[in-house]
Amino acid sequence: MVLLADARTNGFCVHPLVHQFSLLQCADRIIIPQGEAHKNMDSCMLIWQQLTELQADRNTVLVNVGGGMVCDLGGFAASVYKRGISFIHIPTTLLAMCDAGIGGKTGIDFQGYKNHLGTFNDAEALYIDPNFLDTLDFRTRKSGIAEMIKHDLLQGGDIWNQTYPAEEQDFYTLQKIRQSMAFKQMIVAQDPRDEHIRQCLNFGHSIGHAIESYALQTEYPLLHGEAIIYGMYYELLLSRNILGLEDSILQQFDDVRRKLFPELQATFTLSQLTPFLLQDKKNNRGLRMSLLKGVGQCEVGVMVSPESLQNLFS
Amino acid sequence: MVLLADARTNGFCVHPLVHQFSLLQCADRIIIPQGEAHKNMDSCMLIWQQLTELQADRNTVLVNVGGGMVCDLGGFAASVYKRGISFIHIPTTLLAMCDAGIGGKTGIDFQGYKNHLGTFNDAEALYIDPNFLDTLDFRTRKSGIAEMIKHDLLQGGDIWNQTYPAEEQDFYTLQKIRQSMAFKQMIVAQDPRDEHIRQCLNFGHSIGHAIESYALQTEYPLLHGEAIIYGMYYELLLSRNILGLEDSILQQFDDVRRKLFPELQATFTLSQLTPFLLQDKKNNRGLRMSLLKGVGQCEVGVMVSPESLQNLFS
């Protein structure tokens, strides 16, 4: 058993974990640099080198302790080491609990493109403890709300109602985390390989990923969740313009955004995002996005014309 | 559609192929340096970079034209690009036709260890044309016989008889290639993930891979098939010492080896091979090898003690 963590998680989360699970006490540790910018091939090489030095064999289990970056990267590294060893996720951020930890997508960024290399490979197990959320800085913790809001918009029904948004604190409860995880698991179970219905989870991510990739190159990198808040806003605008989504939903989302993320006020130009939009994995003879016809009603593979995009950013 | 070839294959094989298959005429080409030494992460990065520049998407098919190196490397590059695109193998060497092209193992070498990184992923299709064998240099063509001899030893029955070995030319016929492919396919179908019976195909490869890895670092690198000839010889010795394989079979193999590969007369020491033997993917609490009790009778996961190894090389 080998435990993978980034420098921050190693400091804050690994000690209580090892105290709780005696099996982890004798696990070797691989510590990688912290931050989304290190979700790349260099970090993978470091992991593979250390697994090799530790003489890890096919029966070794890699335990990924950390946020989405550690889960995605560790999952990828494990799934190609000696053609695949088992891995367990112990997500320590809200984002990783509700999103990256579930669904079998592993990946790293490549040449600035998000999750450009990766595999489909399920974790053997997942361990959730909301106490880890207390170890997060304010910005990281809050950014995880973005994917939960996305799940709520996609799920619809009683969840997205007139009293939405909830207070920030409501998102940090085990009950809310469970509900959000269960929705994603239900979708993934129907389409593990992301060929049809799972693509609805990509809502907010075509433009969101492009914004995240662009921002990573600037002096003001965004957290994934923050980029997705922007991405959902732009894709709701597209949903209105292309699929006729009601204006009131766009308005309600904007209220949520202003209440929970008042600090996200940047603007972007199309030329900043175009190179990244063209690399979206969902594209097929033109840009394709998952857009909303209504709350709880997602349409995947919607063709987005250059003109529609132009209108958004002009 | 993107065609992947190494510099040699691009010169000798791609032109007739493109002439034959009109679909390939409009395929973009990625050309990588030739030789086993380039079956590594650098070549993968080159492929991923070029796929990215070509804006290859999830619907792109990678057509791997070349020997085992191109098939293994191209299969690996394809299986992680955007979490996996389809690939087709067009093997141009005897080795790749009878071995690397079949069975869904992809991989690259890492830090001198053979196929240390890889995936299990089937090619969508396989195209065999023995005419490609005429494009090979003498040494490369002949080295492919090694895996065919291995298949014959494992298959047993009428194939491995008193008149074995056949003449070198007999191995280059479509009939013989078909029989050898069919044997491997039959084994792989029973155990695609290499968890039990498929491990018999590893016969000759525990020591063979170690010899290949060691030789790659010297001024006299061996071709894969050549290393496997040595590997089978040593593992037949082990088979006799550990499992009581009849001496006459060892003798017969040695006759085959002297007849077909008289130039392979090197000797190795255990200290040269040990670091590579320890990295074998089949190991599990000690060295494990697939050894023969008799022709057509393979035992997988046989524990090989340090003393047994010592005896071989002293």
Side-chain angles (χ1 to χ4, degrees), chain A residues 90-140:
Chain A
I90 303 187
T92 58
T93 66
L94 191 61
L95 184 68
M97 291 177 191
C98 296
D99 190 26
I102 310 164
K105 283 190 182 180
T106 78
I108 57 171
D109 303 338
F110 184 72
Q111 299 194 317
Y113 298 109
K114 300 287 306 161
N115 299 315
H116 201 56
L117 306 175
T119 60
F120 288 97
N121 243 316
D122 282 315
E124 292 291 318
L126 187 66
Y127 174 74
I128 302 288
D129 183 349
N131 286 319
F132 285 131
L133 300 181
D134 298 332
T135 68
L136 301 175
D137 68 89
F138 172 79
R139 192 178 155 201
T140 303

Side-chain angles (χ1 to χ4, degrees), chain A residues 158-174:
Chain A
D158 292 341
I159 290 176
W160 185 274
N161 54 33
Q162 287 309 313
T163 65
Y164 205 92
E167 296 300 315
E168 185 188 331
Q169 289 302 321
D170 297 346
F171 288 95
Y172 305 144
T173 62
L174 186 56

Side-chain angles (χ1 to χ4, degrees), chain A residues 41 48-49 52 58-59 80-83 105-106 110-111 113 115-119 279 281 284, chain B residues 41 48-49 52 58-59 80-83 105-106 110-111 113 115-119 279 281 284:
Chain A
M41 191 51 83
W48 292 324
Q49 275 161 18
T52 306
R58 284 187 176 178
N59 303 297
V80 305
Y81 181 76
K82 299 201 176 201
R83 293 203 189 91
K105 283 190 182 180
T106 78
F110 184 72
Q111 299 194 317
Y113 298 109
N115 299 315
H116 201 56
L117 306 175
T119 60
Q279 275 300 326
K281 285 186 283 296
N284 182 9
Chain B
M41 192 50 84
W48 292 324
Q49 275 161 18
T52 306
R58 283 187 175 177
N59 303 297
V80 306
Y81 181 76
K82 299 201 176 200
R83 293 203 188 92
K105 282 190 182 180
T106 78
F110 184 73
Q111 299 194 317
Y113 298 109
N115 299 316
H116 202 56
L117 306 175
T119 61
Q279 275 300 326
K281 286 185 285 294
N284 182 10

Side-chain angles (χ1 to χ4, degrees), chain B residues 239-253:
Chain B
S239 297
R240 183 192 61 187
N241 299 348
I242 299 175
L243 298 180
L245 177 78
E246 279 178 37
D247 228 14
S248 63
I249 293 166
L250 190 59
Q251 194 53 56
Q252 200 186 348
F253 177 84

Side-chain angles (χ1 to χ4, degrees), chain B residues 227-282:
Chain B
I228 295 311
I229 290 289
Y230 283 118
M232 287 195 283
Y233 177 73
Y234 285 116
E235 293 187 20
L236 283 173
L237 281 171
L238 277 178
S239 297
R240 183 192 61 187
N241 299 348
I242 299 175
L243 298 180
L245 177 78
E246 279 178 37
D247 228 14
S248 63
I249 293 166
L250 190 59
Q251 194 53 56
Q252 200 186 348
F253 177 84
D254 206 36
D255 292 343
V256 175
R257 175 169 95 125
R258 283 168 201 276
K259 179 175 174 182
L260 296 173
F261 296 92
E263 70 281 15
L264 298 184
Q265 301 285 349
T267 53
F268 303 93
T269 67
L270 188 52
S271 64
Q272 289 166 341
L273 309 183
T274 299
F276 303 105
L277 285 168
L278 290 176
Q279 275 300 326
D280 194 293
K281 286 185 285 294
K282 302 294 185 304

Side-chain angles (χ1 to χ4, degrees), chain A residues 161-206:
Chain A
N161 54 33
Q162 287 309 313
T163 65
Y164 205 92
E167 296 300 315
E168 185 188 331
Q169 289 302 321
D170 297 346
F171 288 95
Y172 305 144
T173 62
L174 186 56
Q175 184 193 13
K176 181 71 187 164
I177 293 168
R178 274 222 176 107
Q179 171 248 312
S180 201
M181 289 177 67
F183 174 72
K184 176 162 182 182
Q185 270 170 323
M186 184 265 291
I187 297 291
V188 168
Q190 294 173 63
D191 175 26
R193 284 281 169 151
D194 205 8
E195 288 158 338
H196 38 91
I197 191 179
R198 180 171 180 170
Q199 291 182 17
C200 74
L201 297 175
N202 206 49
F203 168 66
H205 282 62
S206 297

